Amino acid sequence: MKLLAPIGTSSISLGGESLEIDNDGTVTVSGVAAVRELCDTHGFTIFNAEKPAAPAEKPPVDKFTDMSRAEIIGYIKSKGLPVVPQTGTEELRAAARLQYSPDERAADDAAAKAAAEAGK
C-alpha cells in the first residue's frame, strides 16, 4: 500500500527494515500491521493516486518544540525508556515524538481547543 509521509520525513525504520521516502513524499509498504503502525503512530496517511491526502487545517500540536531538555528527558523516562546523557536535545526531541501516542495528541488537541474557546 502506498502511504504519504509526514512533511520533513526522509526515511523510517520499521521492524528493523529501513524504508526510504520517495521524492513525492510516499513510501510503499506491505502488511496491515505495518500500515496501521505507520498511520497510527508515525502520522503517515494513505495515499490516493488520484487525489493526494489534503493537509490538515492546522499543524498538529507539537508540545516537544517548546519543551526544555529536562522536560523532554522526563517525558521519555515516563514512557519507561532509558535516556543516554550524551544524546543531543534534537535527538531526544525526535525520540519523544515517536512515543507521542494518538490518544495523547487527541487529549492535547482537546485541551488547546478548550483553552481557545475559553479565551473568546
Side-chain angles (χ1 to χ4, degrees), residues 7-77:
I7 294 174
T9 305
S10 59
S11 66
I12 190 162
S13 177
L14 182 65
E17 179 184 351
S18 290
L19 303 172
E20 295 296 321
I21 308 299
D22 294 334
N23 289 337
D24 65 353
T26 63
V27 63
T28 302
V29 296
S30 59
V32 174
V35 169
R36 204 172 266 150
E37 179 176 348
L38 289 173
C39 291
D40 293 346
T41 308
H42 301 291
F44 284 68
T45 55
I46 296 174
F47 181 78
N48 181 345
E50 296 168 9
K51 181 181 175 188
E57 291 179 16
K58 63 175 188 166
V61 174
D62 185 359
K63 66 183 185 180
F64 305 105
T65 300
D66 297 328
M67 279 184 160
S68 70
R69 179 179 173 83
E71 290 171 322
I72 295 168
I73 289 171
Y75 178 82
I76 293 170
K77 285 184 175 182

Side-chain angles (χ1 to χ4, degrees), residues 83-104:
V83 175
V84 178
Q86 296 84 2
T87 305
T89 302
E90 287 306 313
E91 290 83 5
L92 289 171
R93 192 169 277 125
R97 285 183 181 118
L98 289 175
Q99 299 304 314
Y100 194 40
S101 72
D103 291 340
E104 286 177 292

